[in-house]
Amino acid sequence: MIETKIDDVIFKLQEEHDFGWLASLGRVFQVFDQQDSGNISFGVEKNGERLFVKYAGAKAITFSGDPQDAIHQLKSAIPLYLELSHPSLIKLVDHFEVGSGYAAVFEWFEGETLHPHWSFPPPAKYNDPRSPFYRFKNLSVAQRLDAMERIFSFHAYIEKNNFVAIDFYDGSLLYNFSKNETKICDIDLYQRRPYFNTMGRLWGSSRFMSPEEFTLGAEIDGCTNVFNMGATAFALLGGERDRSFELWEAGEELYQIALKAVEPSRENRYESVSAFKMAWDSAVK
């Protein structure tokens, strides 16, 4: 294990790697090195402007794969951020090959992840008052419904553009507590339709995944993402895996809509994210 220091930030890698190119982007003030995707990310600042830099090509301590696969995946994700640009999504501003890796540069969003597994591993995520998820769950229902609106709007938008969400979970969400603003920060594995499950168990958190995301050959479509959105509602407004009404905080009508969304049988769910969102919006109003 190699300890690396850039400016005032210290992190660890499996082997040495040249990050000298980061200096041209600014001073590194934060590092995110606990991802299992093969990416290492940095917060950099130059002339008062902050950027988020996602880099593939180095061996992070939590990565067990081939850095070349991580590079390929990051390159493949670039068109997604360009084509699916949306107010709810972090904004890509640049991308380039550098040294033996690849970098994607985004506008900085002053938010905290709702799945801070490296600093607040469960159960601390759920019961430590310092945890971003705990603090989010203690916001008003109205504030959390506003966050849901941003999440649902984005996924109705990608559905309209013939894409499906893969690997969406609370780790894909950033929340700015001072401005009550939500952003989606990771769509790297989203896919254009038609898309079929070629893995058996797809990427993602089982807390948010539908039965077809565990079924080899199953089509992954809008109905799949309806399940994802329903699971998200239970995570942010209810008891997550415990989908009982006793733990739900947003009223009977929205509970029934969320419950229908997470039906194991596809034919019992809403047929599309748009149909789900229409029912949800009507109940909210």
Side-chain angles (χ1 to χ4, degrees):
M1 196 173 296
I2 305 296
E3 188 169 272
T4 302
K5 182 177 181 182
I6 305 177
D7 298 323
D8 296 324
V9 171
I10 297 174
F11 58 100
K12 294 178 180 179
L13 298 171
Q14 294 182 41
E15 59 188 28
E16 289 187 4
H17 197 84
D18 181 12
F19 287 101
W21 56 273
L22 274 169
S24 64
L25 295 177
R27 183 174 186 80
V28 176
F29 65 87
Q30 195 167 354
V31 63
F32 307 88
D33 62 345
Q34 299 292 316
Q35 307 299 314
D36 59 9
S37 62
N39 297 319
I40 298 177
S41 299
F42 303 90
V44 300
E45 184 171 6
K46 187 175 185 179
N47 300 325
E49 179 185 10
R50 289 187 165 190
L51 297 169
F52 176 79
V53 183
K54 183 185 288 189
Y55 176 79
K59 282 195 173 182
I61 56 171
T62 53
F63 182 55
S64 58
D66 184 342
Q68 291 303 313
D69 292 337
I71 291 169
H72 174 75
Q73 183 57 61
L74 183 57
K75 285 183 177 181
S76 298
I78 297 303
L80 296 172
Y81 288 93
L82 296 173
E83 187 168 349
L84 298 177
S85 177
H86 186 273
S88 296
L89 180 67
I90 59 170
K91 184 177 180 180
L92 179 72
V93 294
D94 200 5
H95 58 98
F96 46 84
E97 290 186 4
V98 57
S100 59
Y102 201 83
V105 184
F106 299 85
E107 288 184 351
W108 178 262
F109 177 69
E110 200 66 54
E112 299 177 66
T113 176
L114 295 188
H115 184 62
H117 60 88
W118 53 89
S119 50
F120 297 98
K125 170 187 173 179
Y126 300 99
N127 58 30
D128 190 322
R130 299 169 299 168
S131 159
F133 186 84
Y134 177 94
R135 287 152 55 210
F136 182 87
K137 285 297 292 284
N138 280 275
L139 295 174
S140 70
V141 170
Q143 287 172 309
R144 284 179 281 159
L145 284 173
D146 182 67
M148 301 303 301
E149 164 61 24
R150 289 180 175 264
I151 296 165
F152 295 164
S153 291
F154 178 70
H155 287 93
Y157 171 74
I158 72 153
E159 179 181 78
K160 183 179 178 180
N161 284 274
N162 223 27
F163 282 85
V164 289
I166 305 291
D167 192 31
F168 176 80
Y169 69 117
D170 47 5
S172 310
L173 299 173
L174 299 175
Y175 192 77
N176 182 319
F177 286 90
S178 62
K179 295 183 178 180
N180 294 318
E181 188 176 358
T182 307
K183 290 279 187 183
I184 294 163
C185 62
D186 184 359
I187 63 167
D188 289 18
L189 296 177
Y190 284 31
Q191 298 288 334
R192 188 182 296 277
R193 290 188 58 193
Y195 182 74
F196 295 87
N197 183 342
T198 59
M199 295 172 60
R201 189 206 190 282
L202 284 176
W203 304 277
S205 166
S206 59
R207 296 173 293 125
F208 291 77
M209 293 168 68
S210 66
E212 54 264 37
E213 290 173 274
F214 295 88
T215 306
L216 186 66
E219 184 172 8
I220 308 300
D221 58 11
C223 190
T224 307
N225 288 162
V226 166
F227 189 104
N228 305 147
M229 296 301 99
T232 302
F234 278 106
L236 303 186
L237 293 166
E240 197 174 86
R241 288 185 187 271
D242 183 346
R243 293 167 181 164
S244 63
F245 183 67
E246 288 71 26
L247 295 180
W248 181 258
E249 300 177 73
E252 173 75 26
E253 193 172 358
L254 286 177
Y255 175 75
Q256 293 299 334
I257 292 168
L259 198 62
K260 179 176 178 179
V262 294
E263 279 281 351
S265 297
R266 290 169 51 87
E267 59 268 21
N268 293 331
R269 297 178 214 152
Y270 296 93
E271 64 182 15
S272 66
V273 175
S274 296
F276 163 76
K277 187 177 184 301
M278 186 178 299
W280 182 274
D281 290 349
S282 178
V284 168
K285 291 176 183 176

